[in-house]
Amino acid sequence: ESVDEELKGTDTSKPRGSKRLTFCVEGNISVGKSTFLQRIANETIELRDLVEIVPEPVAKWQDVGPDHFNILDAFYAEPQRYAYTFQNYVFVTRVMQEKESSSGIKPLRLMERSVFSDRMVFVRAVHEAKWMNEMEISIYDSWFDPVVSSLPGLIPDGFIYLRASPNTCHKRMMIRKRSEEGGVSLDYLQGLHEKHESWLLPSKGQGSGVLSVSQLPIHMEGSLHPEIRDRVFFLEGDH
Ligand code: TTP
């Protein structure tokens, strides 16, 4: 409800004809991003006409081309072989998804994840795990900033961080049982959690309250635009 209030507030305070706002919903694997977005899309009648939901293109990763390759599965089965290929395809599908949703007229757009979490969370994790080698990370880095800068639709007005303990996410992942994620360990989720934290909440002690606005700058590290500093909303999701 607090989020609904927040979003309504954000939206109605905007004068007619002003730029559409885009927020990206972030958080660990299985934290509940899709559920959160579906609730907004389906259960909150007043918001339905105001908010366009852009889900993550997971289905595109599970069914590629006429041969129906499952690249998400290939990545988890052989991460060292496919991490770069997978992260490259994740980026490309986000660009396609953004293009498809860019002509919408609803004043608020909520997207599941962003190229920034790809870069700041997953690409870092696979590099640390040595699933991407130095050459591959250099290739990724060499195109990331210039390509993102040339596609302004990929840069959101802010982030909504759904935050829960890695334990909670692990339990939810076990219940969901997505077949590709059988080998995802609590340790891996712990690593992803820490990367979300240092990216979106670089200073600890800001985690209380149902909905708060972090006034803290986002770590820049070359990949975040200064205009989205101070625009991180976060929700505690352990319940
Ligand atoms: P998530 O983006 O975390 O989506 P989800 O469906 O788990 O989210 P929720 O339950 O909160 O709705 O990840 C989808 C899968 O893709 C997951 O196994 C992690 C993997 N993944 C990567 O390995 N690299 C990436 O860059 C991204 C975005 C996802």
Side-chain angles (χ1 to χ4, degrees):
E1 279 169 35
S2 312
V3 179
D4 291 353
E5 284 309 313
E6 184 62 39
L7 295 177
K8 266 193 262 178
T10 308
D11 172 54
T12 50
S13 62
K14 280 267 161 190
R16 269 173 189 280
S18 65
K19 172 183 170 286
R20 178 169 64 153
L21 285 177
T22 298
F23 279 77
C24 293
V25 177
E26 304 285 358
N28 212 339
I29 296 177
S30 270
V31 71
K33 298 178 291 294
S34 311
T35 310
F36 172 77
L37 289 170
Q38 269 165 24
R39 292 254 170 106
I40 290 178
N42 300 323
E43 291 182 20
T44 318
I45 297 156
E46 312 84 51
L47 285 181
R48 205 179 295 161
D49 293 339
L50 300 176
V51 185
E52 179 175 357
I53 305 292
V54 185
E56 192 167 54
V58 183
K60 288 196 167 96
W61 310 337
Q62 291 170 314
D63 187 358
V64 185
D67 289 323
H68 306 286
F69 291 112
N70 184 336
I71 192 173
L72 179 64
D73 198 44
F75 161 63
Y76 280 126
E78 276 184 85
Q80 216 154 343
R81 168 68 184 83
Y82 289 114
Y84 180 84
T85 311
F86 177 59
Q87 292 302 151
N88 186 82
Y89 194 60
V90 167
F91 188 95
V92 171
T93 52
R94 280 200 206 291
V95 173
M96 296 192 290
Q97 193 107 325
E98 198 285 321
K99 293 270 170 226
E100 284 161 22
S101 71
S102 63
S103 56
I105 50 160
K106 296 179 182 177
L108 179 61
R109 184 167 58 153
L110 289 183
M111 304 184 80
E112 188 171 352
R113 287 200 186 282
S114 60
V115 295
F116 299 104
S117 43
D118 298 345
R119 176 69 190 93
M120 300 299 281
V121 177
F122 287 99
V123 171
R124 287 171 123 217
V126 295
H127 181 226
E128 270 173 36
K130 302 209 182 322
W131 294 339
M132 256 194 209
N133 64 31
E134 295 310 314
M135 184 182 72
E136 290 167 316
I137 191 89
S138 297
I139 295 171
Y140 191 98
D141 281 343
S142 75
W143 55 254
F144 185 88
D145 278 347
V147 175
V148 170
S149 301
S150 69
L151 296 165
L154 294 175
I155 303 166
D157 297 287
F159 295 97
I160 296 170
Y161 175 25
L162 301 190
R163 182 173 185 248
S165 70
N167 261 321
T168 300
C169 296
H170 194 247
K171 279 187 204 136
R172 290 176 187 165
M173 198 181 71
M174 294 313 211
I175 295 167
R176 168 171 84 188
K177 273 197 166 50
R178 187 182 271 160
S179 65
E180 296 88 347
E181 291 169 347
V184 177
S185 64
L186 181 55
D187 260 14
Y188 189 63
L189 293 186
Q190 181 73 45
L192 297 180
H193 175 74
E194 282 158 16
K195 286 174 184 51
H196 276 96
E197 295 281 293
S198 54
W199 169 43
L200 292 167
L201 297 174
S203 169
K204 304 282 175 198
Q206 289 285 308
S208 59
V210 175
L211 179 73
S212 318
V213 181
S214 167
Q215 296 300 331
L216 299 162
I218 297 167
H219 267 322
M220 295 300 292
E221 303 200 2
S223 287
L224 271 176
H225 280 247
E227 48 286 20
I228 48 183
R229 274 188 225 184
D230 303 338
R231 299 206 199 147
V232 180
F233 300 80
F234 67 99
L235 286 162
E236 297 295 345
D238 272 306
H239 35 265

